[in-house]
């Protein structure tokens, strides 16, 4: 029997390599999703998801005429309790509580950072009549020690993208997003920053009750405060809020933003009637209310500078003490 020539041997090796590659491709998940890959029926933790794109696609459907269903007290408290269970590492119980409310609990991996997040999402969002109860994202890579809140997505243009940027920029965060345009529904029922009877308010109260400081992002029309890029306030200030507000204002001014500091002078849009600010003050938890001009929010470079400034504050919070991370 004749020995194979070197060329024949190389060809055989090449064919073997191709066969192995095809086998791996066949077994691997495609399209960034593995059905049930984390046991929840959602995106697998091993698959990459662009978190900003995911949230932008979610809020793209929001409009003043899309409707909103006010939650009952039992429903909004149950969602908040499920968030608490997840923070306590009791994922199975949280998932069961959420499923009974027609919410999904998924694990996603952000392709930009590689960090894993628990996503709490209302199943009705993709149906013909969404309730508009919102979403919550909890970092699974580090203890959750702070939150960023977006009460007026779309209505305050690109505030949800700023919120994602802040979440990505510092480990240990929670992102709470309202589930409807502020003008949806009847009257001001969906204006979650000024109501206590919403899922958004209940979740933020749960986080504040655990001592997690919060940064709430808003937007204003350029002509509402033409002399300023940013309006920073502490709502019903606590000592901890004032210290964080000074740090934020300094970080913003270092990046060439003009900042109206509500604790120094009278500013428009100070957030004194903000319900999450009131709740945080009642629980002695730090709270920052930050308004960005439209010109800042809609300019990618300016928005990136704004996010970097906010991350100076969240980095201080991340270095503090806090509850244990959700169980993976």
């Amino acid at each position: 029997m004749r020995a194979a020539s070197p060329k024949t041997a190389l060809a055989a090796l090449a064919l073997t390599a191709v066969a192995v590659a095809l086998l791996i491709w066949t077994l691997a998940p495609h399209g960034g999703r593995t059905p049930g890959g984390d046991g929840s029926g959602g995106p697998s933790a091993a698959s990459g998801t662009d978190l900003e794109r995911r949230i932008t696609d979610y809020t793209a459907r929001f409009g003043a005429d899309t409707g909103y269903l006010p939650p009952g007290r039992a429903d909004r408290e149950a969602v908040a309790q499920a968030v608490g269970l997840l923070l306590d590492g009791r994922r199975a119980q949280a998932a069961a509580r959420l499923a009974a409310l027609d919410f999904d609990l998924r694990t996603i991996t952000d392709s930009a950072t590689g960090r894993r997040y628990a996503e709490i999402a209302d199943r009705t969002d993709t149906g013909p009549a969404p309730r508009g109860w919102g979403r919550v994202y909890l970092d699974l890579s580090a203890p959750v020690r702070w939150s960023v809140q977006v009460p007026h997505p779309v209505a305050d243009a690109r505030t949800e993208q700023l919120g994602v940027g802040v979440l990505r920029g510092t480990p240990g965060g929670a992102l709470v997003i309202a589930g409807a345009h502020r003008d949806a529904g009847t009257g001001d029922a969906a204006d979650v920053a000024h109501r206590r009877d919403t899922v958004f308010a209940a979740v933020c109260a749960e986080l504040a009750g655990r001592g997690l400081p919060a940064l709430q992002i808003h937007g204003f029309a350029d002509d509402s405060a033409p002399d300023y890029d940013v309006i920073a306030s502490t709502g019903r200030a606590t000592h901890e809020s004032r210290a964080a507000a000074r740090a934020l204002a300094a970080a913003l001014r270092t990046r060439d933003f003009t900042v109206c500091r509500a604790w120094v002078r009278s500013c428009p849009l100070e957030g004194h009637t903000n319900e999450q600010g009131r709740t945080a003050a009642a629980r002695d938890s730090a709270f920052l209310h930050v308004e960005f001009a439209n010109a800042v929010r809609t300019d990618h470079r300016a928005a990136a500078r704004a996010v970097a400034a906010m991350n100076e504050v969240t980095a201080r919070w991340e270095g503090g003490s806090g509850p244990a991370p959700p169980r993976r």
Side-chain angles (χ1 to χ4, degrees):
M1 182 175 180
R2 296 174 59 186
S5 69
K7 289 184 178 181
T8 303
L10 287 173
L13 287 173
L15 288 172
T16 302
V18 170
V20 171
L22 286 172
L23 177 61
I24 292 173
W25 185 89
T26 301
L27 295 176
H30 301 296
R33 298 177 66 89
T34 301
D38 66 345
S40 65
S44 167
S47 303
T49 299
D50 184 332
L51 185 59
E52 181 177 346
R53 172 51 55 191
R54 186 174 182 83
I55 289 175
T56 298
D57 289 345
Y58 164 58
T59 60
R61 300 188 296 272
F62 292 4
D65 59 349
T66 53
Y68 172 75
L69 178 65
R73 180 174 180 176
D75 288 334
R76 60 181 187 262
E77 289 183 352
V79 175
Q81 290 164 4
V83 171
L85 288 169
L86 193 57
L87 288 169
D88 291 336
R90 299 160 69 184
R91 184 182 178 104
Q93 291 172 271
R97 182 76 56 91
L98 290 166
L101 299 166
D102 218 13
F103 272 78
D104 279 323
L105 174 59
R106 300 183 178 94
T107 297
I108 65 172
T109 299
D110 179 30
S111 58
T113 62
R115 290 208 298 272
R116 300 167 73 242
Y117 296 94
E119 177 191 72
I120 297 172
D122 187 347
R123 291 174 182 164
T124 72
D125 289 337
T126 57
R131 298 178 296 193
W133 291 0
R135 287 189 180 183
V136 181
Y137 292 85
L138 301 175
D139 194 346
L140 296 173
S141 71
V144 174
R145 303 196 190 282
W146 57 272
S147 77
V148 56
Q149 305 167 1
V150 182
H152 300 144
V154 178
D156 289 357
R158 295 197 62 79
T159 50
E160 61 267 40
Q161 285 80 15
L162 290 178
V164 174
V166 174
L167 183 69
R168 282 173 162 174
T170 306
L175 171 61
V176 188
I177 307 176
H181 191 284
R182 68 184 298 174
D183 296 328
T186 303
D188 66 346
D191 186 358
V192 299
H194 299 101
R195 298 190 68 102
R196 296 183 182 181
D197 57 347
T198 67
V199 170
F200 183 93
V203 170
C204 291
E206 173 69 26
L207 299 177
R210 291 168 174 264
L212 271 64
L215 194 158
Q216 191 172 104
I217 301 175
H218 295 259
F220 66 91
D222 295 339
D223 57 4
S224 296
D227 295 330
Y228 297 103
D229 300 313
V230 189
I231 300 166
S233 64
T234 58
R236 306 268 177 161
T238 63
H239 175 72
E240 292 78 7
S241 298
R242 188 67 57 82
R246 290 194 184 102
L248 176 61
L252 287 164
R253 294 167 79 181
T254 297
R255 291 169 173 82
D256 299 323
F257 291 112
T258 55
V259 184
C260 189
R261 296 166 294 165
W263 58 94
V264 173
R265 61 176 58 85
S266 177
C267 301
L269 306 168
E270 293 184 353
H272 290 310
T273 61
N274 183 281
E275 290 296 346
Q276 289 74 55
R278 288 176 169 174
T279 298
R283 289 162 171 74
D284 200 28
S285 181
F287 178 84
L288 298 183
H289 182 280
V290 191
E291 295 263 4
F292 290 99
N294 185 66
V296 175
R297 290 175 280 121
T298 55
D299 180 275
H300 289 295
R301 291 184 179 180
R305 287 170 20 233
V307 166
M310 289 187 279
N311 279 139
E312 288 200 20
V313 175
T314 55
R316 291 160 57 109
W317 289 340
E318 194 272 334
S321 59
R327 187 168 296 164
R328 301 183 185 186

